Amino acid sequence: MTHQIDRRALVKAILGDRKDIIGISGLGGAGYDLTASRGDHDLNFCLHGSMGGAPLVAMGLAMAQPDRRVVAVLGDGDMLMGIGSLATIMTERPKNLAVLVLDNGYYLETGGQKTAASHGTDLTAMAAAAGFETAKTLTDPNDMADFVKMIQEAPGPIFVCAKISIDKPETVPKTRDGNNMKLRMRKALLGTE
Amino acid sequence: MAGAWLGGERSVLMMQGSGVGNCMNNFGITIAGNFPLLTIITLRGSWGEGNPWMLYQGRTMERMLDLAGFMATVVDDAANVEEAVSVAAQTAFNASGRMAVILSQRVTGAKKFKR
């Protein structure tokens, strides 16, 4: 079955009107989705390398900022690279953390090679096996609103694997300056750089 | 570690030397974002090692840390651990340094193997 979820619409629905939520993206297309949802926002931090690291950056933030919602957005290839992070997250179980995997089954950034997700690996089942009590797969666009609300508000840690279409949306301008992203987020959260 | 710092907390990465090899790609975030990083590493594959599989990482770890932009201090006397960690923490968090304190097996003790 062809995956149908619109990645840009999903991320925008989660973060577009919720500028209080901290958004961490993995590398590749996920950073464009996060940036397209609300611009180059102070509470966005987009990794442009460190593949596999986004869920753990989000975990550290969730622990340091327990009153803030933290959402990690990353591709399926990125999640597979850092799959052990799901077990690490379970050692602390931050209630304010949601991990959203945008799963098209391909490494689109490097030319469209199939990931293990295209060969049958079920990332949601892996998250559940790691200990996530809420681990769900989003396949039907009609369920999107319920998933959005869950990712924004339900007690975490939450894992969602969204089966997104293979389309590659237009890129949007965004900073790749890690120091700048760090300083602006610390200023927004802490009042000091 | 980067996430904790973004949220206003300090953290320390504690691992055995073999973890350095696993971390090399992800150390990139500390360079790209000029994040502080303090790590305390127990050094297998060095003094008194009895497992040959550990020797590769023991021999290469300090060079890997150097390539990744760390300043490293090897401590081989338990009496010096506290000062070394305290000084490294100051540079890490006050100067956004990448700092490693390496505890040799003279401090941690070497695992004993029968033959």
Side-chain angles (χ1 to χ4, degrees):
Chain A
M1 191 186 97
T2 314
H3 300 163
Q4 294 178 19
I5 302 297
D6 177 337
R7 56 191 299 163
R8 286 283 163 88
L10 175 60
V11 178
K12 192 175 180 66
I14 296 164
L15 293 168
D17 294 326
R18 288 293 303 273
K19 297 195 168 55
D20 57 312
I21 296 179
I22 296 170
I24 305 296
S25 84
L27 77 182
Y32 293 117
D33 299 328
L34 175 56
T35 306
S37 75
R38 58 183 186 181
D40 239 337
H41 189 260
D42 285 351
L43 296 186
N44 291 357
F45 192 98
C46 302
L47 278 67
H48 295 83
S50 296
M51 188 167 179
L56 292 179
V57 173
M59 177 193 182
L61 251 165
M63 290 169 62
Q65 293 282 319
D67 297 329
R68 289 262 185 186
R69 193 73 171 178
V70 182
V71 178
V73 183
L74 65 160
D76 52 311
D78 204 345
M79 187 72 252
L80 285 160
M81 175 81 92
I83 198 73
S85 64
L86 295 176
T88 305
I89 287 167
M90 281 303 111
T91 64
E92 294 289 341
R93 297 178 181 267
K95 289 189 183 322
N96 52 333
L97 174 65
V99 176
L100 170 62
V101 174
L102 304 174
D103 177 4
N104 52 24
Y106 290 90
Y107 294 104
L108 271 194
E109 292 297 317
T110 54
Q113 301 85 353
K114 284 182 178 179
T115 70
S118 282
H119 294 279
T121 296
D122 182 342
L123 290 168
T124 301
M126 291 183 86
F132 280 74
E133 286 169 32
T134 305
K136 293 184 185 297
T137 304
L138 171 61
T139 50
D140 184 344
N142 294 319
D143 294 336
M144 206 162 87
D146 291 340
F147 272 76
V148 166
K149 199 168 160 54
M150 181 177 76
I151 290 167
Q152 289 171 332
E153 292 171 12
I158 285 168
F159 180 92
V160 169
C161 180
K163 296 290 189 179
I164 60 168
S165 81
I166 190 72
D167 303 336
K168 192 171 179 181
E170 286 291 304
T171 59
V172 295
K174 65 178 162 75
T175 181
R176 287 177 180 75
D177 184 334
N179 195 44
N180 179 41
M181 287 188 282
K182 175 192 70 178
L183 295 175
R184 74 187 184 186
M185 184 178 293
R186 279 176 58 89
K187 188 153 195 200
L189 292 174
L190 312 169
T192 171
E193 294 179 344
Chain B
M1 319 303 293
W5 185 254
L6 285 172
E9 295 283 349
R10 296 174 171 197
S11 58
V12 58
L13 174 61
M14 301 184 71
M15 58 185 169
Q16 185 171 291
S18 45
V20 173
N22 290 340
C23 283
M24 285 301 278
N25 184 46
N26 275 308
F27 283 149
I29 192 172
T30 70
I31 308 286
N34 194 31
F35 281 94
L37 182 57
L38 172 62
T39 179
I40 300 174
I41 300 166
T42 55
L43 183 55
R44 286 297 303 270
S46 63
W47 186 84
E49 182 59 60
N51 177 353
W53 294 60
M54 294 289 168
L55 298 179
Y56 155 71
Q57 187 64 53
R59 198 174 67 243
T60 56
M61 192 198 69
E62 279 187 73
R63 276 177 283 165
M64 285 190 181
L65 286 172
D66 183 52
L67 287 169
F70 280 80
M71 292 168 68
T73 307
V74 179
V75 181
D76 56 14
D77 181 343
N80 297 332
V81 172
E82 188 174 337
E83 183 190 45
V85 171
S86 168
V87 166
Q90 280 181 41
T91 306
F93 298 118
N94 295 341
S96 260
R98 284 159 285 285
M99 306 300 295
V101 177
I102 301 166
L103 306 181
S104 95
Q105 293 192 140
R106 284 185 170 154
V107 174
T108 60
K111 226 170 170 178
K112 297 282 182 281
F113 292 88
K114 285 182 192 167
R115 188 35 232 135

